[in-house]
Amino acid sequence: MRHNKHHASLGVTREHRAAMISNLAAALITHDRIQTTLTKARALRPFIEKVITKAKKAAAKTEKRDALHLRRLALRDVRDEDAVTLLFNEKYKEFAARNGGYTRIYKLGPQRISDAAELALIEFVKADDPGYKKSKGRKPGTKRAKKAAPAPAETPVSPVDPGTKS
């Protein structure tokens, strides 16, 4: 049975995929924004959000051993000590007010020349960023206002014989 097998395979082995996602996460933590393929960005999003959640939980822990445990769990995933230290010491404060949704993915326009891969930009969302509001559809009354307005007076058009040139 294929239970619990849903993940982006990225065309590589399991070990290679884990290393690739780990390196992408370290680069994102270090630089706040990276350009990669859309598929890799979509695979990175849930991974990095779980690591950020571990950092936030570690900051909330009162006992040092609990925070250390969460840091070691994050190091197991990311495998870059400098990036994890940066996240657990400084960057977690940016996400203190947010409940999830720490990253944003932008699709970049043209495809890559060599392999026609769709490119994307993945970045951290700032704490004070409100994001986009969902539209509630059309504003009420706009359709009625157009119907209620009187139709403009038509100007008389002289009949033209299709056989003659004007």
Side-chain angles (χ1 to χ4, degrees), residues 77-153:
D77 294 336
V78 176
R79 290 184 265 181
D80 185 352
E81 196 169 340
D82 296 334
V84 171
T85 303
L86 180 66
L87 177 65
F88 275 70
N89 292 347
E90 299 169 19
K91 297 246 179 173
Y92 78 91
K93 296 171 190 166
E94 295 176 15
F95 309 111
R98 295 190 73 88
N99 293 324
Y102 309 120
T103 57
R104 180 177 292 145
I105 297 175
Y106 293 107
K107 285 185 177 181
L108 297 179
Q111 295 176 329
R112 193 161 51 194
I113 300 287
S114 61
D115 60 355
E118 287 184 280
L119 295 178
L121 197 69
I122 183 167
E123 68 178 5
F124 286 135
V125 178
K126 300 297 179 199
D128 57 349
D129 191 353
Y132 299 108
K133 300 288 182 192
K134 287 191 175 182
S135 66
K136 297 177 183 174
R138 292 186 124 187
K139 293 182 181 177
T142 55
K143 197 171 186 179
R144 290 184 185 176
K146 288 182 181 178
K147 283 186 177 179

